Amino acid sequence: MNDIILKIDHIQKFYGNEGNITKAINDISFDVEKGEFLGIMGASGSGKTTLLNCISTIDTVSSGHIYLDGKDITELNSKSVANFRRENLGFIFQDFNLLDTLTISENIALALSINKVSSKKINPLILDIAKKLNIVEILDKYPYQVSGGQKQRCACARALINNPSLILADEPTGALDSNSSQMLLSTIQSINEQLNSTILMVTHDAFSASYANRILFLRDGKIFTELRRGSDSRSIFFEKILNILTIIGGGRNDAR
Ligand code: ADP
Ligand code: MG
């Protein structure tokens, strides 16, 4: 049995006030083991983003606890959350957020400089991660000089450079065509398999979700069910995901 890296313990998140309350998360508990690639699915409004935002400390829970590496992150004060996020989490954003005026190398270094890593240590770290993601030859280029796939791998390198305990992605393929989606998902999958990174990916898209090892399906702020890939091929897993989506709603034709 692997180490539990993330423990979600009976969390709730309510918006609004008495009389007009939205239970965005209504008592959710689950554990994530180190090295898991967990997908979170559910129709629009089911609570996916709220759940991810609570885990990433962008939002706060109304009740319950979230433990990352055994530390209760719901107890962090507002001063320490920013540091916590930088030191422990990696984010893969939908639009990749690369800065056009910085080289690929400088874009990756950004996360490290903020973490006050000495400049002598930065270059070997960047080279190491660039080798793993096969972007060594473009390190000195600017984002506009490289392909879409290379930009994606740069964004993944930036998410990984701090060696985060957890990598979070909210609809990472949401703005991509199917070719680019497939490339990004393969990259995320290899990060998971080769580097043993733990990944939490929110998606409404069954194809994206089929790259995960396990999927939690949310409905109305609760966990409706979970699906493990086990030894299924990705296409069989994909069919099983679609079957659950027909029950809970969301999926292929759900634009969000
Ligand atoms: P999903 O990402 O699955 O589409 P969300 O987590 O964004 O769902 O939203 C879950 C529910 O919480 C929805 O009913 C949504 O309207 C509500 N909600 C989300 N954020 C807020 C907010 N800041 N204020 C009020 N209601 C919100
Ligand atoms: Mg959302």
Side-chain angles (χ1 to χ4, degrees):
M1 161 114 182
N2 277 323
D3 294 342
I4 302 292
I5 202 150
L6 178 70
K7 185 174 189 62
I8 309 294
D9 185 17
H10 294 287
I11 63 166
Q12 297 189 300
K13 177 66 182 183
F14 301 152
Y15 291 109
N17 41 35
E18 245 174 286
N20 183 22
I21 213 161
T22 304
K23 297 183 172 181
I25 297 179
N26 190 3
D27 194 8
I28 285 183
S29 298
F30 62 92
D31 290 345
V32 180
E33 289 179 7
K34 174 152 178 53
E36 267 199 291
F37 180 177
L38 183 70
I40 295 172
M41 297 198 80
S44 182
S46 58
K48 305 182 295 295
T49 295
T50 305
L51 176 61
L52 206 72
N53 287 350
C54 288
I55 294 169
S56 63
T57 66
I58 288 165
D59 209 341
T60 55
V61 297
S62 303
S63 66
H65 297 274
I66 299 174
Y67 303 91
L68 184 67
D69 283 330
K71 185 181 170 69
D72 187 348
I73 65 174
T74 62
E75 309 270 292
L76 291 171
N77 62 36
S78 55
K79 278 183 190 156
S80 45
V81 289
N83 281 336
F84 165 82
R85 224 176 279 151
R86 285 196 291 259
E87 286 163 13
N88 298 282
L89 305 176
F91 293 91
I92 299 173
F93 297 99
Q94 195 169 88
D95 56 5
F96 307 130
N97 272 330
L98 299 183
L99 299 179
D100 291 331
T101 54
L102 299 182
T103 64
I104 296 296
S105 172
E106 289 165 342
N107 264 288
I108 299 170
L110 213 53
L112 284 175
S113 336
I114 295 168
N115 266 344
K116 301 195 186 81
V117 175
S118 76
S119 47
K120 221 170 38 184
K121 282 191 190 147
I122 286 181
N123 284 336
L125 281 174
I126 290 178
L127 198 58
D128 180 51
I129 200 77
K131 278 181 190 153
K132 287 172 179 155
L133 288 171
N134 196 21
I135 49 172
V136 175
E137 70 281 10
I138 58 152
L139 281 175
D140 293 328
K141 297 198 166 166
Y142 288 87
Y144 66 87
Q145 296 174 309
V146 309
S147 73
Q150 289 169 327
K151 266 185 230 169
Q152 292 179 0
R153 295 207 294 281
C154 169
C156 290
R158 192 187 44 194
L160 280 166
I161 190 93
N162 286 335
N163 194 22
S165 298
L166 193 61
I167 294 177
L168 301 166
D170 192 355
E171 303 278 7
T173 60
L176 302 177
D177 62 45
S178 62
N179 251 335
S180 311
S181 293
Q182 215 161 332
M183 273 195 293
L184 177 61
L185 291 162
S186 304
T187 302
I188 294 177
Q189 189 174 43
S190 69
I191 286 169
N192 171 247
E193 289 173 357
Q194 316 289 322
L195 308 180
N196 201 32
S197 299
T198 312
I199 298 168
L200 222 80
M201 178 178 76
V202 162
T203 181
H204 71 275
D205 172 50
F207 177 77
S208 300
S210 70
Y211 281 79
N213 325 124
R214 175 163 68 116
I215 301 170
L216 299 178
F217 293 86
L218 302 191
R219 183 159 80 172
D220 300 333
K222 292 175 185 290
I223 295 177
F224 176 75
T225 189
E226 74 164 42
L227 199 59
R228 281 176 193 273
R229 177 159 161 190
S231 56
D232 285 349
S233 69
R234 205 162 51 70
S235 59
I236 298 226
F237 194 41
F238 176 71
E239 292 303 323
K240 289 185 177 174
I241 295 165
L242 288 181
N243 285 339
I244 293 182
L245 292 180
T246 58
I247 303 171
I248 66 167
R252 255 204 266 245
N253 300 317
D254 180 349
R256 281 184 301 161

